[in-house]
Amino acid sequence: MSIRIYIATTEGPVEVQRITREDPNVRSVICLDGTAKALPISRAYDSFVKEPTGIIQRSYLHCAFRMDVDKPITDGNSWQLGAFVAHALFQENQLASSEDKVLNAIWLSGEVDRDLNVRPVDHIEEKLLASKDLFERLRAEDVRVFCFIPGGAGLVPDDDFLERMNIDGDMLRLESIITVKRILNRFDLEDVYTKLEEEKAAAAEDAGDDVDEGEEIDLYKPDLNAPEPIKDHRMAKIIALVVCIIALFTGLYLQFEDNIIALRSGSLKIGISELRANDDKGCTEPNIIPLSRDGNAFPASPLDGLCALEITINNVGAPAYMWAYAQRIEDGHLLMADRESLLQPELQKGLIGWRLILPKNLKRSIDYRVVALASSSPLGDAVNRMIRRTVENGKPDWEAIKAQFSEEKITVISTLHSLEY
Amino acid sequence: MTDTIPKHAETIFHMLDHFDSLMQKTDTSHNIIGFSELYAYATQGDHVPTPALKEALSSSLKMRRDLKRLLNKQSIATMMRAAAASSGQIERREGDGFVITLRPSQADKNQIYLLIHSEDRDDSPSLLFVEEENGPFHRLVIEDFYDGEAQILLSVQDDIVKALRKPKVDVILR
């Protein structure tokens, strides 16, 4: 099923109507609504497409395209992310034309650099507001909309704004991203990063070739003055590694989902840190990398090298009964739910946290919501009612859950986060 | 005096009057086209020709000759009509260090790319004129000439495209 692309602008969303491969001797061009009117940004688009500056030719091996859009795009570079993803879909024959009926649409704003990182752009809120009518129309047509914006401080609108926009994480989702990879993976599009890596490797190899051919080193010639090799106890290391892996798997089996480690006690703000494998000691002594929150979401965490996540709540107000859980969006599965602290409630303030250890064989992206609760009464009963309702419905209805907690005078905050495979 | 004499006189009077009005109109149309307007038309991309100028250029041989003389002095490059052996439609012309090519759009068969490429010149033309044999001048504004190249997407039905495809036309870049 094809997917429709909307490029966000402050004047409203611009639909990508089609892309056509053109004669390699012409420049790439963006035209208005199938007419011969080339938009002024065509020059920038040509640079975006054609090598050596362009990334489309490098990724999709053609140097001249024509893109038709339904409304003008005047200036700036925030069209680049939408244009790139439109090309990625076009490559897989999944770019919807104006006439196609679609189930999914992607709304994007962002600049894309040569390494396919998504760079910050301005006026995100204005662009979202300018697209409100479109979002409502698509919702009425049962079309799911994925909005992608750049990650970074101050780029993601605050919770109130998102609520006003009716961004519910289901039919209308907003995600901040730092690279294009997340979108390619999510929609199962060609992984152009492989080409990028190959290109980098080739460049490095070329650089190596350029290093003074007169100083070739014969790797096989023994150096008579070299000291005796140090014995590295390789066998012992391998055995130790195997023991560690077995211990790790055993630990993961026991700990994932149920065995969540309560860390420490502290306003009701959610924090997420990545625990990434240390270069020397792997996941036994991981590096802790706090993520910077942007409004309603944290930047996605690539699974590669990710050992665990640390989720914290910071309560700088009066002591309260606090609890947090992480729930997979697609089916409501609880990834983190600390039963102990529910069964033995106590008033707390300051920072409390949980560690979510990830299975090593996790080979899929997961989108989930972290929810933090605080109340002057123990939370066990309210949480049980929430879980029962979720189980009955089969899928979490976040608006209903939020309404339930509000009725029960429970302070509730939430954030979205994704694990990216 | 007979009756026929007044009738002849009346006829002659009407014909002279008609002739005068024709002459008066012609003179007026020429008079309102000043040199400065013709010069602006020939040299400035942002000049918008008045209906009177368009009319004069289509109907007055003298006006077209004035324009041709002006362009000959002001041109960056001139591509004279294709060789007599040329047959069929012309898709490529070259001369004075410039190449003009027509390439059909893959996206729409009714549209065509006009490419103007500078081979060894630093000049950036802003206007393209096509003079048909015994016919009108066609003028196209070149808005975005950069890196030695301009690309303009046109309808295949555009008069300038039709003219460029004819062998017997002169092309002038200004």
Side-chain angles (χ1 to χ4, degrees):
Chain A
M1 191 75 168
S2 52
I3 298 171
R4 180 154 297 140
I5 291 289
Y6 292 99
I7 293 172
T9 80
T10 51
E11 303 300 313
V14 175
E15 180 187 327
V16 177
Q17 298 171 312
R18 65 171 172 173
I19 291 177
T20 314
R21 278 191 179 81
E22 279 292 7
D23 184 329
N25 291 302
V26 306
R27 289 177 172 168
S28 294
V29 64
I30 298 183
C31 291
L32 186 62
D33 206 19
T35 64
K37 182 174 171 50
L39 297 180
I41 58 159
S42 292
R43 187 197 288 200
Y45 175 62
D46 183 56
S47 302
F48 184 66
V49 169
K50 193 176 285 177
E51 290 210 276
T53 52
I55 54 177
I56 300 296
Q57 182 181 3
R58 185 185 59 183
S59 302
Y60 302 114
L61 309 177
H62 189 72
C63 64
F65 292 91
R66 167 178 167 155
M67 180 184 283
D68 281 280
V69 295
D70 71 336
K71 285 189 279 295
I73 301 169
T74 49
D75 52 15
N77 289 325
S78 65
W79 51 268
Q80 290 180 345
L81 180 58
F84 187 90
V85 176
H87 274 278
L89 290 168
F90 171 71
Q91 185 72 10
E92 307 275 334
N93 205 21
Q94 285 187 51
L95 178 65
S97 69
S98 308
E99 299 80 29
D100 289 341
K101 178 138 181 75
V102 298
L103 293 174
N104 295 297
I106 310 179
W107 180 102
L108 312 100
S109 181
E111 193 176 329
V112 182
D113 72 14
R114 194 148 169 82
D115 293 323
L116 305 186
N117 298 313
V118 179
R119 302 178 69 86
V121 293
D122 296 326
H123 310 301
I124 296 288
E125 285 193 5
E126 287 93 324
K127 289 172 184 169
L128 284 163
L129 278 172
S131 295
K132 197 171 184 197
D133 290 347
L134 170 78
F135 295 152
E136 283 170 7
R137 180 168 62 78
L138 292 175
R139 185 185 291 273
E141 292 170 4
D142 220 20
V143 175
R144 198 173 187 206
V145 184
F146 298 82
C147 302
F148 291 101
I149 59 173
L155 291 176
V156 180
D158 61 33
D159 291 354
D160 289 344
F161 179 85
L162 297 177
E163 202 158 321
R164 284 202 305 277
M165 289 295 300
N166 205 7
I167 292 175
D168 58 1
D170 183 17
M171 290 305 287
L172 180 57
R173 309 191 48 163
L174 179 72
E175 294 179 35
S176 64
I177 54 170
I178 50 175
T179 74
V180 175
K181 191 167 189 170
R182 169 152 182 75
I183 305 176
L184 299 181
N185 287 345
R186 173 184 287 276
F187 295 97
D188 204 18
L189 300 170
E190 183 183 345
D191 183 4
V192 293
Y193 280 81
T194 312
K195 287 179 194 158
L196 186 64
E197 291 305 321
E198 284 171 1
E199 187 185 79
K200 281 182 177 172
E205 200 171 292
D206 289 346
D209 288 346
D210 291 341
V211 169
D212 198 352
E213 290 179 4
E215 291 184 13
E216 281 185 19
I217 300 164
D218 182 358
L219 295 173
Y220 300 100
K221 189 175 175 182
D223 182 356
L224 298 173
N225 300 319
E228 282 289 304
I230 299 167
K231 288 180 181 171
D232 64 355
H233 305 291
R234 187 172 294 172
M235 200 60 192
K237 281 184 179 172
I238 292 171
I239 292 167
L241 184 65
V242 170
V243 170
C244 286
I245 292 170
I246 292 168
L248 185 63
F249 272 108
T250 309
L252 290 177
Y253 176 72
L254 294 171
Q255 290 183 20
F256 186 59
E257 296 182 5
D258 292 331
N259 192 7
I260 296 153
I261 304 162
L263 292 175
R264 49 188 183 275
S265 294
S267 110
L268 217 49
K269 269 191 179 168
I270 296 173
I272 299 178
S273 297
E274 294 176 345
L275 277 67
R276 293 209 161 269
N278 184 291
D279 286 345
D280 299 322
K281 297 181 178 174
C283 289
T284 52
E285 286 184 36
N287 299 320
I288 300 175
I289 305 163
L291 300 180
S292 298
R293 178 178 165 159
D294 280 329
N296 195 40
F298 285 84
S301 296
L303 277 171
D304 188 25
L306 188 64
C307 309
L309 292 168
E310 197 170 280
I311 295 171
T312 57
I313 313 175
N314 192 8
N315 175 13
V316 294
Y321 293 99
M322 293 192 292
W323 196 65
Y325 66 96
Q327 190 170 36
R328 195 157 62 195
I329 288 173
E330 65 174 300
D331 56 4
H333 183 77
L334 289 169
L335 304 174
M336 181 189 89
D338 176 18
R339 290 180 198 158
E340 290 298 313
S341 59
L342 269 185
L343 294 170
Q344 296 171 344
E346 56 180 321
L347 290 165
Q348 296 180 87
K349 62 183 286 188
L351 193 71
I352 60 170
W354 297 266
R355 191 168 284 186
L356 175 61
I357 296 169
L358 302 171
K360 202 169 184 180
N361 58 351
L362 190 56
K363 293 201 183 304
R364 54 171 294 209
S365 295
I366 294 177
D367 302 315
Y368 68 98
R369 185 190 300 278
V370 177
V371 181
L373 307 172
S375 170
S376 55
S377 312
L379 293 158
D381 292 344
V383 169
N384 280 335
R385 280 191 287 277
M386 180 277 292
I387 290 173
R388 214 167 20 243
R389 175 179 287 188
T390 305
V391 169
E392 282 167 5
N393 292 340
K395 192 180 175 190
D397 179 346
W398 171 237
E399 290 305 318
I401 291 170
K402 213 162 49 165
Q404 181 214 314
F405 286 135
S406 297
E407 278 170 22
E408 299 185 27
K409 312 284 184 209
I410 295 169
T411 304
V412 54
I413 60 169
S414 76
T415 186
L416 298 172
H417 185 235
S418 300
L419 299 171
E420 188 177 277
Y421 175 59
Chain B
M1 201 156 131
T2 63
D3 284 348
T4 53
I5 293 171
K7 280 185 182 172
H8 283 301
E10 189 181 346
T11 306
I12 291 166
F13 175 81
H14 280 303
M15 288 180 72
L16 282 171
D17 183 55
H18 185 60
F19 180 74
D20 282 348
S21 66
L22 279 171
M23 292 306 291
Q24 194 177 6
K25 188 184 174 190
T26 307
D27 287 340
T28 306
S29 66
H30 278 268
N31 287 340
I32 58 169
I33 311 299
F35 174 76
S36 59
E37 186 176 358
L38 192 64
Y39 183 82
Y41 178 77
T43 60
Q44 296 169 16
D46 57 355
H47 172 78
V48 180
T50 58
L53 175 59
K54 287 183 183 171
E55 166 65 24
L57 284 168
S58 66
S59 61
S60 167
L61 182 63
K62 179 181 177 301
M63 187 64 76
R64 289 202 295 272
R65 283 180 179 156
D66 289 347
L67 178 62
K68 184 72 183 283
R69 275 196 293 275
L70 192 53
L71 287 172
N72 285 341
K73 288 179 185 166
Q74 298 288 330
S75 69
I76 291 173
T78 306
M79 297 169 191
M80 302 309 287
R81 59 195 58 188
S86 299
S87 60
Q89 294 186 332
I90 304 293
E91 303 292 326
R92 178 186 162 92
R93 291 169 189 274
E94 52 188 296
D96 282 356
F98 285 90
V99 179
I100 292 180
T101 320
L102 289 167
R103 290 196 177 274
S105 164
Q106 305 296 313
D108 189 335
K109 288 188 170 62
N110 294 314
Q111 293 173 5
I112 194 161
Y113 292 98
L114 167 62
L115 303 171
I116 305 168
H117 175 70
S118 159
E119 293 208 299
D120 52 6
R121 299 278 302 267
D122 294 331
D123 309 274
S124 298
S126 59
L127 287 167
L128 179 142
F129 290 90
V130 183
E131 183 194 13
E132 291 195 59
E133 191 179 42
N134 301 322
F137 267 90
H138 303 283
R139 177 182 184 259
L140 180 71
V141 178
I142 305 167
E143 286 181 343
D144 209 15
F145 194 94
Y146 69 99
D147 287 349
E149 206 170 65
Q151 173 178 299
I152 304 157
L153 188 56
L154 297 164
S155 163
V156 292
Q157 298 303 323
D158 200 305
D159 286 343
I160 203 156
V161 173
K162 289 179 183 169
L164 276 166
R165 285 179 150 164
K166 295 176 182 170
K168 293 182 178 176
V169 295
D170 291 338
V171 179
I172 299 166
L173 290 170
R174 166 66 181 86

